[in-house]
Amino acid sequence: MKFVKDVKADERVDLVCRMCPMHLLEPGDRLNCMSKGQVLEVLTDYDGALEDIPNWCEKCGQEFLGIEEDEDCYKLYIRKKK
């Protein structure tokens, strides 16, 4: 797990209290609307996302930047590569 701090995100998707598989579907949809090089911040409280999102990024050709742990949720950062 790669921890980061103070990453500047261009867009945010809030998935706190959302059920699986939304932690993969909604970021994918949002990234489709973003430009190459932009960063998406994903807010989630789902522990499974800590493994699922980095694996999804690798599979889909996106760059997983890392995780920041907040009081109420995790913040995962993805840079759009394609």
Side-chain angles (χ1 to χ4, degrees):
M1 214 176 311
K2 180 179 175 185
F3 289 94
V4 295
K5 243 186 131 119
D6 302 322
V7 174
K8 166 99 172 76
D10 299 292
E11 298 276 340
R12 172 187 286 171
V13 62
D14 186 347
L15 301 176
V16 175
C17 298
R18 301 292 293 276
M19 301 288 289
C20 181
M22 298 316 290
H23 69 284
L24 296 177
L25 297 176
E26 287 194 33
D29 288 345
R30 182 65 61 91
L31 283 166
N32 285 337
C33 298
M34 295 173 65
S35 300
K36 184 178 178 181
Q38 287 189 306
V39 175
L40 176 65
E41 178 182 65
V42 179
L43 306 178
T44 185
D45 56 355
Y46 175 58
D47 291 336
L50 301 179
E51 286 186 30
D52 292 349
I53 289 181
N55 291 338
W56 176 85
C57 287
E58 186 175 328
K59 179 180 175 184
C60 294
Q62 305 299 348
E63 180 183 359
F64 179 71
L65 299 176
I67 299 166
E68 184 176 345
E69 197 167 355
D70 202 9
E71 283 183 27
D72 301 321
C73 66
Y74 303 107
K75 298 176 181 179
L76 295 93
Y77 296 95
I78 304 168
R79 184 183 321 276
K80 181 169 179 159
K81 287 181 71 174
K82 347 178 185 173

